[in-house]
Amino acid sequence: WTTYFGSFCQDLENAVAGSRTVYNASHAQACIDYFATVTCDSLDGPTSPECTSTLVGQVPTGGNCYGSVDCVGGDDATCSQSTQTCPGTCGLKLAAHAPCQSGDSCATGYTCSSSTQTCEARPAPAQSGQSCASNSCASGLTCDYTTQTCVALIRENQGCTPGHYSCELFTYCSDTSVCTQYGGAGSHCGLTAAFEYQGCTPGNYCKTSTSLCTVQGDTGATCTESQECLSGDCTNGLCVAQCREP
């Protein structure tokens, strides 16, 4: 996890030091206090206002940025940067009915409709037993792959039915019908006999040719596809660094 999140933390420190972002210590403590009162099931739901105002972007629309946290606009701010375009440019997420390609590109409260490819109001999450064929499930629930209905997440080491994809994050339903944690480097990965996907822990990827979890390459490592790189970008046969402040 240090490898996975360490650079992100350094980027936040750089943003504050470079005055692109303001850090509110009192709000940070209130945010920490908030997380001490919630359960894991509620972490994907609405968060505390103090958490969203702990870091406040200072770069206006059109200004240079290295991440969305730099930009004015809160949760609706975006930084259009990539490994090829660095630094990026601050902007705002798309408004209602604007053409879109992904849900992440739409403003808060909206999602990219698969039928119209425009930003439309996000429907209320489906509840337990309701259809999730075209909607996300409420906090603490997941979409059963077989029945296409919302069901409770199944915890690690608890019983499950292979092929339903009902186990919690970073686990899969093994052939012995138990939610089992993903493995690290050298562990088997890929589809099981019941077509359940056995993934890898962060910092690793599933190498197709060997069906083994393999450590992702750092900047400059040779690669053939982006999943082989920690940065998530393989360009011209090499892992390319993420856009960050020099």
Side-chain angles (χ1 to χ4, degrees):
W1 291 100
T2 301
T3 300
Y4 199 65
F5 290 110
S7 60
F8 174 73
C9 294
Q10 185 60 58
D11 290 342
L12 291 181
E13 291 180 7
N14 291 342
V16 173
S19 299
R20 299 190 305 277
T21 299
V22 169
Y23 169 66
N24 294 315
S26 60
H27 288 201
Q29 184 58 56
C31 180
I32 293 171
D33 294 341
Y34 162 77
F35 276 106
T37 66
V38 299
T39 64
C40 292
D41 289 345
S42 62
L43 289 181
D44 58 353
T47 189
S48 163
E50 286 81 4
C51 293
T52 58
S53 59
T54 296
L55 294 165
V56 181
Q58 303 296 299
V59 180
T61 297
N64 289 344
C65 55
Y66 294 92
S68 298
V69 71
D70 295 348
C71 304
V72 171
D75 289 341
D76 288 336
T78 182
C79 179
S80 59
Q81 50 89 7
S82 68
T83 53
Q84 285 77 39
T85 307
C86 188
T89 303
C90 281
L92 293 174
K93 292 183 178 180
L94 300 172
H97 312 308
C100 58
Q101 294 183 333
S102 70
D104 291 343
S105 61
C106 298
T108 303
Y110 294 86
T111 188
C112 190
S113 169
S114 57
S115 58
T116 64
Q117 292 295 291
T118 55
C119 291
E120 303 300 334
R122 187 184 299 276
Q127 301 300 313
S128 180
Q130 294 182 335
S131 172
C132 48
S134 59
N135 193 11
S136 60
C137 296
S139 178
L141 304 175
T142 188
C143 188
D144 186 302
Y145 182 80
T146 302
T147 66
Q148 290 293 285
T149 56
C150 293
V151 298
L153 275 169
I154 303 176
R155 304 303 180 192
E156 183 181 352
N157 297 324
Q158 292 184 344
C160 55
T161 302
H164 286 248
Y165 286 83
S166 301
C167 292
E168 65 180 334
L169 189 66
F170 297 130
T171 67
Y172 72 102
C173 190
S174 69
D175 294 338
T176 58
S177 299
V178 175
C179 287
T180 305
Q181 187 180 55
Y182 288 170
S187 300
H188 179 79
C189 59
L191 287 177
T192 65
F195 296 99
E196 186 95 11
Y197 185 73
Q198 180 179 352
C200 303
T201 53
N204 299 281
Y205 73 99
C206 188
K207 191 171 185 177
T208 306
S209 61
T210 62
S211 293
L212 293 176
C213 292
T214 306
V215 176
Q216 291 176 306
D218 211 335
T219 301
T222 58
C223 56
T224 56
E225 51 186 332
S226 292
Q227 69 165 349
E228 299 175 17
C229 306
L230 275 171
S231 66
D233 193 336
C234 177
T235 301
N236 297 324
L238 294 174
C239 290
V240 182
Q242 293 178 335
C243 177
R244 52 176 44 99
E245 186 178 6

